[in-house]
Amino acid sequence: MAEPQVNILIVDDRPEHLLAMSSILQSPDYRIATANSGEEALRQVMQESFALILMDIEMPGMNGFETVRMLKSQERYRSIPVIFVTALSQATEHMVRGYEIGAIDFIFKPVQPVILKVKVNQFASIYRDREQLKAQKELITRRTIDLEQAHARLLDNTDKLRRMEAMARAISETSTDAFLTVDAEGTILSANPAVRPLFRYGPEELIGKPVWLVVPYTERLFGSGENGSLLPDCGTREATDVTAVRRSGGTFPAELQIGSACIGDRPIYVCSVRDVTERKMQYIRMEQAVEQRTYALREANGRLQAEIRRRHQVTEQLLRSYDRINDILESITDAFYALDHDGAIVYMNRSAEQRLRIVKEQALGRPFWDYAPVERSKCYDLFLRAALEHAPQRAEFYSNLTDSWVEVRAFPSSLGISLYIQDTNERRRMEQDARESQERFYTIFQATPCLMAIQSLSDRSYLDVNESWMKHTGYTYEEMTSGAANLQMTLVSDEGLVETAPVDFADTVTDVKVQYVTKAGERRTGLLSTEIIETPDVPCVLAVITDITDRVALEREIARLDRLHMIGEMAAGIAHEIRNPMTTVRGFLQLMRAKKTLPPKDIIDVMVEELNRANGIISEFLALAKNKTTDRRPQNLAQVIEAIGPLIQAEATLADKQLYLRLESCPELELDEKEIRQMVLNLALNGLEAMEAGGRLEIATYTDESEVVLEVSDQGHGMDKDVLAKVGTPFFTTKERGTGLGLAVCFSIAARHGAKLTWQTGPEGTAFYVRFALPPEPVAVNDP
């Protein structure tokens, strides 16, 4: 399939220049648009999209600089690349001004057609790649949403099925009734564990046996009977009393119930067998108890007469007790009513009078419902349940009589029902306030972006953690609360050193810097604050961690880049001012040596050597400059390292050390071979110097997910804590004759290649990792 045309805009006030550049770029791959002024160029950019703008600087009205500045001030046009095509001098101030306002390159007139075509072709390719990536990203986003929705539905259905299976299995395994799954011929297909105590058979022993082995006379119900199966294909047969047989031959009374289900065209039956021996025995014991009770009643009748006489004697004592109880009932704040079996008021206290707004003398003997008609349905139902069940009853509802919530408790007795009615408005309000407060706290607890956890002070166990805690640490809620998680939390001093003492949450602290280790082994940094919480159950501590890992890394990287930027600018100035005169001096000295004139040759050699050394330092220093150009081409990283392997091997042999190369095949990368060699040599020589005699240096290349990794590791003693904070800082060195620029140059080379340089160090040695991003895979294009 042919690629779509790419729009190119040429801006120049000279028609002949427009015609010339349009002719040079004439191609079916481009659609060339022209503009003879800055104003017309802005109008065309607002009407359609351009992959590249070739902009003249000197134009009447709005010049090229002003046009580009106005274009770049708009967010939607900021990504359009602009190349200035100008006949102005190549003065630095003009080029700096162009780069500052957003240009990416300069082409000087007269234009070289080859250079113009190559540059335009590169930007057209970049534009096509960006458009293809944008379309692929949209497609991936849509497909990801569809997959996530399908995955969520699958998880929901799987969870429901798992719960149903677990519930059925739990019922079968924990039931005391025996469950036998039987086919249409009466053959047992499965049995639950209850068959062992019931029939003395193991579940596996009954499989394949006929069901009438343990429940006789059931063969007539299944297909093996004379009249065929008498059981329905689907449904449940009523429970019947049968005699079941144990393995020993003993029998026992049982209750048999058969249910059926259809699986495809085949009926399956589930036989439930329940031992009713105890129930039968209860019937026998009940009959015996009735006879004994009849005899006991006859004897009790005589004792009752004696009891009546005794009760007459205590009546006066009861009357005195009644007076005391009456005083108690009159003093309580709850409304109290004594009702007979018909619901008539027998007694009511002062609080009850105030509630019904009637005096006791008028209410006694009248039905309670006459004075509380709006509460009749709820109180009457409570009255009936207490009377029928002979047990206290309780209910809470809103009373229209007093416009408040009330709690009603009914206590049955032989004389009727006692009602206690308590106003619960205040209690409900307090409970509601407590629930709302708890809900607000838990909502804040779960929604906060900070890591929050509640820990018991007694055994240091985690009682609860929020979503941010689980997201940052990688541990699940179950792992945290069960004690399976180990964060290895330690304090960090003001100098950035990690202390070995673990953090104790029992101390109240505020914004203390700590480090913790995630489930994946990543060490992260945060600010810890704790507060002791007194709860009714157990004293707890609320721990809040503000994760600052990314902020600390960003601050460290910004500081390092600022230093590199400053050194780069300094190096450019020093090179410009010193290198030319040094080259001239070196040339004269070499000429003098060739003519063998004074000064002596050995002095001249020393001067040349020193000048070469100074020139080398300047070259190494210039490698830090951000504006250093690179000659990057597609190359294999392993092959580049193989080429300099003998040189590193020679250095290792001279120092009585070993070199081991583990170079795996990796995709090609855009590399500047000279700079990569310099970076590998710097890292390798640093590693060799860090080891004692007999140590081993390993250089490896491999692919890790979306990255190509270069690893250089030694077996030295590792770097000290004070050295780690200054790794990569220019002029910082631990060597006696070092310049302190080697690692700084490595950082600069890695940055120019879009790579990331990291390290790991410890008592066993130090390893440096250079991670190159994999190039995007080419998009297949079908020929038309």
Side-chain angles (χ1 to χ4, degrees), residues 98-211:
Y99 288 133
E100 287 179 346
I101 64 176
I104 62 172
D105 203 355
F106 280 82
I107 296 178
F108 297 96
K109 298 177 181 178
V111 175
Q112 297 295 327
V114 175
I115 294 177
L116 180 62
K117 286 182 177 180
V118 170
K119 290 190 176 184
V120 170
N121 183 55
Q122 290 298 322
F123 284 106
S125 299
I126 292 173
Y127 177 79
R128 292 191 184 99
D129 293 343
R130 188 168 61 244
E131 292 298 315
Q132 290 178 355
L133 287 174
K134 187 186 300 183
Q136 292 175 358
K137 183 178 180 181
E138 293 176 356
L139 178 60
I140 291 173
T141 301
R142 291 195 301 269
R143 291 183 177 178
T144 301
I145 293 173
D146 294 339
L147 287 174
E148 288 177 349
Q149 292 175 350
H151 182 63
R153 291 193 297 269
L154 178 61
L155 288 178
D156 183 57
N157 293 335
T158 303
D159 186 58
K160 290 180 179 177
L161 179 60
R162 189 181 297 112
R163 288 199 301 269
M164 293 174 63
E165 291 178 350
M167 186 179 298
R169 186 167 56 254
I171 292 173
S172 174
E173 293 180 353
T174 58
S175 176
T176 58
D177 296 346
F179 289 96
L180 303 173
T181 305
V182 184
D183 62 11
E185 302 300 323
T187 302
I188 298 175
L189 303 177
S190 66
N192 70 334
V195 300
R196 190 181 301 277
L198 204 61
F199 300 114
R200 307 296 191 268
Y201 286 101
E204 65 282 352
E205 294 179 292
L206 290 178
I207 296 176
K209 301 292 193 303
V211 68

Side-chain angles (χ1 to χ4, degrees), residues 205-327:
E205 294 179 292
L206 290 178
I207 296 176
K209 301 292 193 303
V211 68
W212 44 87
L213 175 67
V214 292
V215 186
Y217 308 113
T218 54
E219 58 266 30
R220 58 186 179 82
L221 301 176
F222 295 94
S224 60
E226 297 178 358
N227 300 323
S229 177
L230 300 179
L231 295 173
D233 290 342
C234 290
T236 302
R237 186 183 180 93
E238 293 185 358
T240 57
D241 291 336
V242 296
T243 299
V245 180
R246 291 192 172 93
R247 187 172 192 166
S248 61
T251 61
F252 61 92
E255 182 180 85
L256 173 66
Q257 187 173 14
I258 302 177
S260 62
C262 296
I263 300 179
D265 299 331
R266 180 185 178 190
I268 296 296
Y269 303 98
V270 178
C271 299
S272 172
V273 182
R274 175 177 298 178
D275 187 347
V276 294
T277 303
E278 183 62 27
R279 190 175 68 187
K280 296 288 187 181
M281 294 301 298
Q282 287 180 354
Y283 290 154
I284 296 173
R285 288 193 293 268
M286 187 181 298
E287 293 175 356
Q288 294 174 350
V290 169
E291 294 178 358
Q292 294 173 358
R293 184 62 175 168
T294 302
Y295 176 79
L297 287 175
R298 294 193 185 98
E299 293 185 344
N301 185 45
R303 291 193 298 270
L304 179 61
Q305 299 300 323
E307 180 68 16
I308 292 174
R309 291 189 296 269
R310 188 187 65 82
R311 289 188 177 184
H312 282 298
Q313 295 174 359
V314 300
T315 299
E316 293 184 357
Q317 297 177 357
L318 292 176
L319 291 175
R320 289 192 295 270
S321 298
Y322 174 82
D323 293 336
R324 288 194 297 270
I325 294 173
N326 184 69
D327 293 339

